Amino acid sequence: MANKTLFQSLVGRLAPAANTRNEAGGTAYAFSPEHALAQFAATGCLNGTFYATAQDQLQTVLQMTARVDHNFIARVAIWCRTHGHMKDMPALLMAVLTQRDGALCEKIFPRVIDNGKMLRNFVQIMRSGITGRKSLGTRPRRMIRAWLESQPDEAIFRASIGNDPSLADIIRMVHPRPSTPTREALYAYLLGREHNTQLLPPLVQAFEAFKSGKSAEVPDVPFEMLTALPLTDTHWMEIARHAPWQMTRMNLNTFARHNVFNKRRMRKLIAERLRNKANLQAARVFPYQLMAAYTMTGPDVPGEVRDALHDALEIATQNVPAVSGRVYVMTDVSGSMHSAVTGYRRGSTSAVRCIDVAALVAACVLRQNPRAEIIPFHDKVVEGARLSSRDSVLTNAQLLASLPSGGTNCSAPLCWLNSRSAKGDLVIYVSDNESWVDVTQGRGTATMQEWEKFRVRNPQARMVCIDVQPYATTQAQERADVLNIGGFSDQVFQVVAQFAAGELSAGHWVDVINAVEL
């Protein structure tokens, strides 16, 4: 009889052969160019990450765009702006598209470049020369002029905050033709030229009157236009009264310092604004931004406002699927997950870490699936972390994020389940997928080898790998029972729900992008 140690029967089918190395040096599977571009677009903020520099990211994205169809670039730009709520990446893709298919770029321009910030991002990237030219060119100028012409006078004035380039710089570049005396006066005002003040839009006149002290009424202008002025507590009260949702979220401590919350009606107004579902949707808020706002509120922010952030977080995560059957959430708490989720950039690094986002996703799944089991891991499974579905999403997320860390071993939780002959229907990983502790010498990654064993007991089971960082590899190869998706907006939950219900085709997330109408 042959040696049973050498020739024992394989459990399950062979794992697909790994074909690359990840950024940490572990065995991995490379994404297709389309999938890699979508992954980078949904997670990349063009800042440095734990394993890659901002320049590395930029070069990878440009390489991927050279390998995919221009229609796919357009669809990714639309999806990551309208669904992923990204800023820099869709502007970069639009700059690339001006070189690949100018007519298509012009067609979708208003859908991607949808506010003044996005317009400035687009122009900055175009002028950098990174996509092949430093001048805007005839068609891009025409697109920008059309964008300016489509905006009301007050919207143009509100978009005039920010520099490098400023809106005035852009106006100088493209030479828009004002269609009304009011627009002519507004352009002259923004450019610092002589103008008839009586022809300026009423909002601009109100702003100038407030600046000069001729009026005590705080104008309804962007917050950034007022901060350099000598403001009283009464002024701050008026600013808070009219502040949009995102500005409110970001300035709760500032409001507290200026005694805005001393008035009960102001506490109630701001609390109701924060938890209003329509406001949340209009603000395109990331769930993790609410967690960050809550974490960073100082002791002077009243409890009812902090409670409203709790409520808002519950509303923002309602897209999490409720799945029939047994659900496991593998939450990566390794060292690399303690890096900033939007990467590092001097002066603008987010306080929110990858581990915070992973913990938030796990807590959200638990809220909708009370029987789900959360399995934190680094180089091994972290046992003893007990979460209750009755606790708030925020409470559970903070508990998970406080766990000890180590190296990255993505196969550890599946190995742990297999050692217990566990049954299950859906496995969700939230990780940066940079597994290196479990490097294998044989076929495939250790994660896929353990997944094949798990599937022997659970042939209908599915696995979702949610990546929160912009890398081009995965530990689980895309196929009918495996979905790889990137991002940290609530739209990720919708795709997961479709996959869990068997509503996605074989292309999974790439097909979600391809479904975008051009």
Side-chain angles (χ1 to χ4, degrees), residues 418-445:
N418 285 332
S419 70
R420 288 157 175 74
S421 300
K423 295 295 184 70
D425 301 279
L426 179 65
V427 169
I428 301 175
Y429 271 89
V430 194
S431 171
D432 60 6
N433 277 314
E434 293 298 310
S435 192
W436 58 270
V437 173
D438 55 349
V439 173
T440 60
Q441 299 300 318
R443 181 185 179 92
T445 63

Side-chain angles (χ1 to χ4, degrees), residues 38 190 339 367 420 431 440 463 480:
L190 293 173
S339 60
R367 169 53 59 90
R420 288 157 175 74
S431 171
T440 60
M463 177 162 60

Side-chain angles (χ1 to χ4, degrees), residues 152-172:
D153 294 328
E154 289 194 356
I156 293 291
F157 179 59
R158 292 177 189 280
S160 64
I161 57 174
N163 295 295
D164 300 324
S166 66
L167 185 64
D169 293 332
I170 295 173
I171 292 171
R172 290 188 186 95

Side-chain angles (χ1 to χ4, degrees), residues 116-253:
K117 168 66 174 172
M118 290 298 298
L119 182 69
R120 290 192 296 107
N121 285 353
F122 172 74
V123 173
Q124 179 186 0
I125 291 170
M126 287 289 293
R127 296 184 70 202
S128 73
I130 199 67
T131 59
R133 61 185 301 170
K134 284 198 170 185
S135 64
L136 287 178
T138 301
R139 192 188 296 269
R141 282 190 171 91
R142 185 169 68 237
M143 293 188 297
I144 294 170
R145 283 196 294 267
W147 187 93
L148 291 169
E149 291 165 3
S150 71
Q151 302 298 308
D153 294 328
E154 289 194 356
I156 293 291
F157 179 59
R158 292 177 189 280
S160 64
I161 57 174
N163 295 295
D164 300 324
S166 66
L167 185 64
D169 293 332
I170 295 173
I171 292 171
R172 290 188 186 95
M173 291 176 209
V174 303
H175 305 293
R177 295 179 180 178
S179 57
T180 66
T182 296
R183 182 58 64 93
E184 183 177 11
L186 176 59
Y187 284 159
Y189 167 84
L190 293 173
L191 294 173
R193 297 174 181 170
E194 288 188 14
H195 58 275
N196 185 340
T197 57
Q198 300 302 313
L199 292 177
L200 289 172
L203 181 62
V204 182
Q205 294 187 41
F207 175 65
E208 287 298 317
F210 181 75
K211 278 174 59 180
S212 64
K214 294 178 180 178
S215 171
E217 185 177 349
V218 180
D220 185 16
V221 298
F223 171 67
E224 294 86 346
M225 291 182 175
L226 300 171
T227 52
L229 303 178
L231 302 174
T232 66
D233 287 353
T234 302
H235 290 147
W236 278 103
M237 202 88 68
E238 283 303 302
I239 291 172
R241 188 189 311 280
H242 299 290
W245 192 93
Q246 284 284 19
M247 184 269 202
T248 301
R249 173 188 69 84
M250 297 170 67
N251 289 279
L252 294 175
N253 291 329

Side-chain angles (χ1 to χ4, degrees), residues 456-474:
V456 169
R457 297 188 309 278
N458 308 281
Q460 302 304 313
R462 294 173 177 244
M463 177 162 60
V464 177
C465 300
I466 301 175
D467 201 332
V468 294
Q469 289 283 266
Y471 301 122
T473 63
T474 179

Side-chain angles (χ1 to χ4, degrees), residues 381-489:
V381 168
V382 180
E383 300 189 54
R386 298 188 180 278
L387 283 73
S388 170
S389 62
R390 296 192 176 187
D391 286 337
S392 72
V393 167
L394 191 57
T395 299
N396 281 331
Q398 289 173 332
L399 188 155
L400 282 170
S402 68
L403 295 175
S405 64
T408 309
N409 180 355
C410 288
S411 64
L414 276 173
C415 181
W416 187 80
L417 288 178
N418 285 332
S419 70
R420 288 157 175 74
S421 300
K423 295 295 184 70
D425 301 279
L426 179 65
V427 169
I428 301 175
Y429 271 89
V430 194
S431 171
D432 60 6
N433 277 314
E434 293 298 310
S435 192
W436 58 270
V437 173
D438 55 349
V439 173
T440 60
Q441 299 300 318
R443 181 185 179 92
T445 63
T447 299
M448 279 306 285
Q449 291 174 6
E450 294 296 335
W451 177 242
E452 294 295 2
K453 296 175 186 176
F454 186 86
R455 289 263 297 173
V456 169
R457 297 188 309 278
N458 308 281
Q460 302 304 313
R462 294 173 177 244
M463 177 162 60
V464 177
C465 300
I466 301 175
D467 201 332
V468 294
Q469 289 283 266
Y471 301 122
T473 63
T474 179
Q475 289 297 293
Q477 189 178 62
E478 189 88 353
R479 63 187 198 188
D481 57 319
V482 178
L483 166 68
N484 286 281
I485 183 170
F488 27 76
S489 78

